[in-house]
Amino acid sequence: MKISYNWLKQFIEIDWDAEKTAELLTDLGLEVEGIETFESVKGGLKGVVIGHVISCEKHANADKLKLTKVDLGNGEPVQIVCGAPNVAQGQKVPVATIGTELYDADGNVWKIKKGKIRGEESHGMICAEDELGLGTSHDGIMILDDALIPGTPASEVFEIENDHVFEIGLTPNRADAMSHFGVARDLKAGLIQKKINTSLITPSLSNFKVDNRTLKIDVELKDKDLSPRYCGVTISGLKVKDSPEWLQNRLKAIGLSPINNVVDATNYVLHELGQPLHAFDANKIEGQKIIVKTLKKGTKFTTLDEVERTLHEDDLMICDTEKPLCIAGVFGGINSGVDETTTAIFLESAYFNPVSVRKTAKRHGLNTDASFRFERGIDINNVEYALTRAALLIQQIAGGEITSEIVDLFPKKQEDFQVFLSYEKVDKLIGQKIPEEIIRNILTSLDIKINNITESGMGLTIPSYRVDVQREVDVIEEILRVYGYNNIDFSEKLSASISNASRFEDYKIQNIVSDQLIAQGFYETLSNSLTTGDYTKLSDQLNEAHNVSMLNPLSNDLAVMRQSLLFSSLEATIFNINRKRSDLKLFEFGKTYHSYESGRTEEKHLAITITGNRGLTHWNTNKKATDFFYLKGIITSILDRLGIKKIKSVPFKKDIFSEGLAFAVKKTRLVEFGLLKKRILKDFDIKQEVLYADFNWDAILEIIKHNKIQFTEISKFPEVKRDFALLIDEEVTFEAIYEIAVQSDKNLLKEVSLFDVYQGDNLPEGKKSYAVSFTLQNENQTLTDKQIDKLMNKLQQNFENKLGAELR
């Protein structure tokens, strides 16, 4: 937000330089992010002085040039060659001396130098108004008042305005400071705290009067909740033209382009007092009536930017008896605005519901100075004052008469908010005792009324313009920012306590798994919990009715809370693939959100996404693509690291996987994983295979809480390995072999692993070959061949009897 220092000084007397004032504003919470200089004429006419043309003769070598002698007030007249047809002896003219920098219409600089023109020296330039930036005419040089003294700086003659403009990073809660007057209020409080007595200078309304009642515009509020207060007045007989120079300079300083005197006046009051206003051409209001209401969904309306917009049924509109005129609090219509033919206006000042304005502005992709303020909440008690101020200003610069009483529809008056401030709470939150007298002075300087004082605290009334101060802590924050954060002492003693946290805390377990995955070459991602509702159509397991929808979505792509981490993972995948990173190993911890009849739920998940090759390709290694078993190994290593044993495989079908498997402990499913279907990938324009795993993180945290650490002495006796090459049916899984082996012996058999799978030639139809390794060990003695053979025979018999296996 831009604040003009010259404009600010209209409301408060201060002689500080801009940097010192900016420092105080920042201390008060209105952070000044930068200071710019503004000049009403670029360059400020530095180097341009008043000259007196002593003589003017025809140039000997050019018909259209003249040779002049000009007194610049330093006692030494200079020769200047001039081509203007109207230059003559005895004139007072503006002269750009040697070294002066002038600017053209595009802002390009050009420097005045000593030169020769057709053989004659020229020591400067006699200027036209467009060359100085004082107008657009180039018909001839500027001829000034004869009373001017040669050598007088032109900046003094033309009243060039120089200003400093503060760029304030306004926080969203400070709706009260969205104007020059609002900033002046804060500045006053800060100056008083520094023992500088000052007061606010408010614009006077004493000259306001109704001249006649010849143009009455009735107003009807059909939705009092969306428009709690609406004021208006008519002004007739005005003349629309350019604004006076001082008003244009004020607007230009803060980055606004002047339009015409009526529109400029409404913009001026907007930035002066923080109250948006709108001027309607009264002759374009059908039925001489304003109706504030919503319209049917789908109604077409063309705004001032000549864009036809389709209205929503909740958009509040300003209408006449025939048509809509304006989107309330957001943007005006193209067919009701003020132009050069306007002679009478209806001036509007209102308070519109902040939530309604914000939703409407977002729906139509609009962000105006008016909506910016209405969305954050303006002062409802300032509506009529600002209207009166604007009406007087328009009369001052555009003429005309007030031709109606002020219409003020304010159905439900709003009471100022009451707060009790406890001294004990002030000391506790600030951490330092502030004298009660200083607290009272600060509150008074902030226009917070003290109703009563007791031993324990004060009863306060908060002014209506402080919409962000509703609680006791808000008042304490106000006291602290005016008192000064820099004035709070810091103790040299640092106190801390050690918390006793369980080793099963979520963040600790999450860090363990993250470290392991990162060590395996994974990257962690973090995605937005908001997503599009269209993703529920990609899986039968997701139900659109279970979406948690946003009341005021930023866009359709961020309209609901996600029901699955899958789609944000695929978004990250295609984002990287499109940037030539096709070998990806990603993981994300996040929550999913569901809305059921019984209520809303949040579930935490760990999502793993793998695609492309397993690792980087080097000259001495071959490419190895990721596959189902690679992902299964990653998942198994995570569960092993967390100490989760006795997991079982649970075949399942899910419409997102072409091949899928789940791991469970008893009846609790911990993870589902597999190869994603091409149908899902096609929706994201992914043309390579993607493997995906979804961990139920809440279930994992619950299971590991019951884990007990067991320590086992390392055996002194050697391990023995034996292998079987089993010919088995194609439908037999390694899990079945593993279960039979474990059931056959629980003492000597330590490990069962699959190290080769063969399917192809030289095998009977419907068969496959598994090469299985068995690790045997006795904790108390060295195994004998007899013991080993006995166990291996037992395993062979069980495989043959239960699986129909044969040794190859």
Side-chain angles (χ1 to χ4, degrees):
M1 182 183 72
K2 293 183 183 295
I3 293 294
S4 157
Y5 197 20
N6 288 348
W7 199 342
L8 201 61
K9 290 177 180 178
Q10 291 181 202
F11 304 111
I12 190 167
E13 293 182 0
I14 183 171
D15 57 1
W16 288 5
D17 60 43
E19 286 74 17
K20 188 176 180 180
T21 302
E23 186 177 339
L24 177 56
L25 289 173
T26 299
D27 289 343
L28 289 167
L30 302 178
E31 183 182 1
V32 177
E33 298 175 340
I35 304 175
E36 300 174 356
T37 57
F38 169 78
E39 297 168 325
S40 57
V41 174
K42 190 154 181 74
L45 298 185
K46 293 175 184 175
V48 181
V49 299
I50 304 304
H52 178 212
V53 182
I54 300 172
S55 66
C56 180
E57 300 174 356
K58 186 179 178 181
H59 194 295
N61 301 319
D63 293 338
K64 295 184 178 180
L65 297 179
K66 294 180 181 179
L67 205 61
T68 65
K69 290 282 186 182
V70 182
D71 176 14
L72 299 180
N74 55 7
E76 297 181 8
V78 297
Q79 178 173 285
I80 298 176
V81 177
C82 181
N86 62 333
V87 65
Q89 180 180 349
Q91 293 173 339
K92 298 291 177 66
V93 293
V95 178
T97 57
I98 293 174
T100 299
E101 292 183 343
L102 300 178
Y103 297 83
D104 61 21
D106 297 323
N108 301 313
V109 63
W110 49 292
K111 194 171 185 178
I112 303 299
K113 299 177 181 178
K114 176 183 175 181
K116 274 191 175 183
I117 303 176
R118 294 292 182 94
E120 295 289 350
E121 289 188 355
S122 184
H123 298 264
M125 184 175 77
I126 303 174
C127 301
E129 65 176 38
D130 65 328
E131 294 166 333
L132 297 177
L134 296 172
T136 58
S137 174
H138 194 70
D139 295 337
I141 60 168
M142 296 184 73
I143 301 173
L144 307 178
D145 190 342
D146 282 342
L148 294 175
I149 300 172
T152 303
S155 57
E156 296 179 8
V157 175
F158 295 104
E159 298 181 354
I160 302 302
E161 180 163 353
N162 297 302
D163 197 359
H164 290 89
V165 181
F166 302 119
E167 182 66 47
I168 295 180
L170 195 66
T171 54
N173 63 307
R174 291 302 308 275
D176 63 295
M178 293 187 295
S179 65
H180 286 75
F181 189 76
V183 172
R185 273 192 305 236
D186 258 24
L187 194 56
K188 179 200 74 172
L191 291 172
I192 291 175
Q193 176 61 22
K194 291 184 177 294
K195 309 298 183 185
I196 300 174
N197 290 325
T198 187
S199 59
L200 284 179
I201 304 168
T202 57
S204 173
L205 307 182
S206 59
N207 292 332
F208 181 83
K209 63 183 179 65
V210 178
D211 297 299
N212 57 67
R213 295 169 179 80
T214 56
L215 181 59
K216 181 183 178 183
I217 303 290
D218 294 323
V219 178
E220 179 183 358
L221 295 182
K222 287 198 171 181
D223 197 322
K224 297 178 177 61
D225 292 330
L226 298 184
S227 180
R229 188 175 189 184
Y230 191 96
C231 293
V233 70
T234 62
I235 305 174
S236 302
L238 52 78
K239 184 177 181 180
V240 177
K241 57 183 179 179
D242 289 341
S243 296
E245 198 71 25
W246 68 266
L247 178 52
Q248 292 193 38
N249 287 338
R250 286 285 181 265
L251 297 180
K252 288 176 182 178
I254 58 174
L256 296 182
S257 299
I259 299 172
N260 59 54
N261 50 3
V262 174
V263 175
D264 291 350
T266 61
N267 285 333
Y268 182 88
V269 174
L270 168 88
H271 290 275
E272 178 186 55
L273 302 176
Q275 171 64 49
L277 302 111
H278 191 75
F280 298 92
D281 188 325
N283 294 322
K284 297 175 183 177
I285 300 175
E286 300 291 341
Q288 291 193 333
K289 185 174 184 179
I290 290 290
I291 305 171
V292 184
K293 62 180 180 177
T294 56
L295 299 176
K296 291 180 179 179
K297 182 178 181 179
T299 301
K300 302 296 182 182
F301 179 68
T302 303
T303 45
L304 281 170
D305 55 0
E306 299 182 356
V307 175
E308 184 179 75
R309 304 180 187 276
T310 302
L311 299 180
H312 187 274
E313 64 267 24
D314 293 331
D315 292 339
L316 187 66
M317 302 296 295
I318 310 300
C319 309
D320 60 20
T321 56
E322 301 292 333
K323 62 185 183 299
L325 304 174
C326 174
I327 303 177
V330 181
F331 211 17
I334 195 168
N335 296 319
S336 63
V338 173
D339 56 36
E340 63 277 1
T341 64
T342 300
T343 58
I345 64 168
F346 174 76
L347 188 61
E348 167 198 275
S349 178
Y351 179 97
F352 298 118
N353 182 282
V355 175
S356 171
V357 172
R358 179 170 177 78
K359 285 183 177 181
T360 296
K362 292 299 178 184
R363 272 193 292 267
H364 297 290
L366 294 169
N367 183 20
T368 62
D369 283 337
S371 67
F372 179 81
R373 286 157 177 78
F374 278 125
E375 289 172 12
R376 288 156 177 76
I378 61 171
D379 181 8
I380 197 169
N381 290 327
N382 195 44
V383 172
E384 185 182 8
Y385 177 86
L387 177 72
T388 308
R389 163 68 173 149
L392 285 171
L393 181 59
I394 290 172
Q395 273 192 301
Q396 176 187 337
I397 62 178
E401 298 179 328
I402 306 295
T403 51
S404 75
E405 299 285 353
I406 291 178
V407 176
D408 185 5
L409 301 183
F410 197 1
K412 187 178 180 181
K413 301 291 190 294
Q414 294 188 8
E415 298 294 331
D416 289 339
F417 203 78
Q418 307 291 319
V419 172
F420 182 79
L421 179 67
S422 165
Y423 296 135
E424 181 182 359
K425 191 67 174 288
V426 173
D427 298 341
K428 183 178 179 181
L429 286 183
I430 294 178
Q432 177 177 316
K433 186 171 182 62
I434 298 177
E436 293 178 15
E437 183 181 356
I438 292 179
I439 292 176
R440 289 196 297 271
N441 289 339
I442 290 174
L443 293 174
T444 301
S445 70
L446 290 170
D447 296 336
I448 296 176
K449 182 181 178 182
I450 301 173
N451 299 322
N452 54 74
I453 301 175
T454 65
E455 291 183 1
S456 60
M458 291 180 278
L460 307 173
T461 298
I462 310 300
S464 59
Y465 62 81
R466 289 310 305 268
V467 295
D468 60 319
V469 181
Q470 302 289 301
R471 304 167 298 170
E472 183 182 19
V473 291
D474 297 329
V475 177
I476 295 172
E477 182 183 2
E478 291 298 294
I479 294 169
L480 183 55
R481 72 179 181 85
V482 176
Y483 181 75
Y485 290 95
N486 297 332
N487 295 325
I488 301 299
D489 297 328
F490 289 90
S491 172
E492 295 181 357
K493 179 182 177 183
L494 179 64
S495 301
S497 59
I498 300 174
S499 61
N500 181 22
S502 166
R503 64 188 180 92
F504 299 115
E505 289 287 341
D506 185 0
Y507 73 93
K508 291 185 177 181
I509 306 302
Q510 189 170 312
N511 286 341
I512 289 172
V513 173
S514 296
D515 290 344
Q516 176 164 321
L517 288 170
I518 290 168
Q520 292 175 310
F522 281 78
Y523 289 90
E524 185 172 8
T525 64
L526 181 64
S527 59
N528 199 332
S529 296
L530 295 173
T531 186
T532 174
D534 294 339
Y535 284 153
T536 56
K537 300 173 184 177
L538 300 180
S539 173
D540 294 338
Q541 272 73 40
L542 303 178
N543 192 332
E544 188 176 356
H546 297 159
N547 278 335
V548 178
S549 300
M550 297 294 100
L551 293 176
N552 185 25
L554 294 174
S555 70
N556 289 332
D557 290 336
L558 301 171
V560 301
M561 305 289 280
R562 63 186 174 195
Q563 291 191 45
S564 170
L565 268 64
L566 168 63
F567 306 113
S568 55
S569 298
L570 291 178
E571 286 175 350
T573 300
I574 189 59
F575 180 87
N576 282 275
I577 290 174
N578 288 339
R579 286 155 182 79
K580 308 303 180 183
R581 293 180 61 89
S582 56
D583 301 329
L584 299 170
K585 293 191 285 188
L586 309 174
F587 73 96
E588 178 181 6
F589 289 95
K591 289 187 176 183
T592 61
Y593 308 85
H594 303 80
S595 179
Y596 302 113
E597 291 184 2
S598 57
R600 293 174 179 166
T601 62
E602 295 182 16
E603 300 170 0
K604 191 165 187 177
H605 291 257
L606 164 62
I608 292 179
T609 310
I610 302 175
T611 186
N613 295 316
R614 297 187 184 187
L616 297 175
T617 303
H618 295 283
W619 65 271
N620 61 347
T621 59
N622 295 323
K623 289 183 180 180
K624 195 167 185 180
T626 55
D627 55 23
F628 180 86
F629 294 103
Y630 177 71
L631 175 60
K632 182 181 178 184
I634 296 292
I635 293 168
T636 303
S637 68
I638 291 173
L639 298 177
D640 285 344
R641 178 65 183 84
L642 297 178
I644 299 176
K645 307 294 183 182
K646 299 180 181 179
I647 60 173
K648 61 180 180 180
S649 299
V650 181
F652 78 104
K653 289 185 178 181
K654 207 165 189 179
D655 64 349
I656 62 171
F657 294 120
S658 57
E659 298 176 23
L661 192 65
F663 284 160
V665 173
K666 297 181 180 179
K667 294 183 179 180
T668 303
R669 189 171 293 186
L670 301 182
V671 56
E672 297 174 350
F673 61 97
L675 181 66
L676 291 173
K677 284 186 175 180
K678 292 183 178 179
R679 173 182 60 83
I680 300 290
L681 301 179
K682 184 179 179 181
D683 217 68
F684 291 85
D685 200 26
I686 298 175
K687 297 178 175 63
Q688 60 192 63
E689 288 188 345
V690 178
L691 296 147
Y692 178 75
D694 182 14
F695 286 81
N696 183 341
W697 192 251
D698 293 326
I700 287 175
L701 292 178
E702 185 61 33
I703 285 176
I704 63 174
K705 288 179 182 178
H706 305 292
N707 282 356
K708 293 183 179 180
I709 298 176
Q710 294 181 336
F711 297 92
T712 305
E713 185 179 354
I714 298 174
S715 177
K716 297 181 291 184
F717 302 100
E719 294 178 344
V720 177
K721 290 186 180 292
R722 292 289 187 270
D723 300 335
F724 276 164
L726 299 173
L727 186 65
I728 55 178
D729 294 335
E730 284 186 342
E731 64 271 12
V732 175
T733 63
F734 171 70
E735 184 179 11
I737 295 173
Y738 181 88
E739 292 293 335
I740 292 172
V742 171
Q743 292 170 10
S744 299
D745 187 280
K746 297 183 179 179
N747 295 320
L748 302 181
L749 186 62
K750 301 301 181 183
E751 187 177 345
V752 182
S753 61
L754 177 66
F755 65 89
D756 188 40
V757 178
Y758 176 71
Q759 289 176 288
D761 297 338
N762 303 322
L763 291 182
E765 187 177 349
K767 296 290 185 178
K768 62 183 176 181
S769 175
Y770 271 9
V772 185
S773 176
F774 303 91
T775 302
L776 313 177
Q777 187 183 45
N778 191 322
E779 304 290 342
N780 301 313
Q781 64 183 31
T782 302
L783 284 170
T784 64
D785 289 341
K786 185 177 180 179
Q787 289 174 307
I788 296 169
D789 292 342
K790 182 181 177 181
L791 177 54
M792 296 308 294
N793 288 334
K794 184 179 180 181
L795 288 172
Q796 180 180 342
Q797 290 175 7
N798 287 340
F799 291 146
E800 290 173 351
N801 295 334
K802 296 181 180 180
L803 299 177
E806 299 177 23
L807 288 182
R808 293 184 66 197

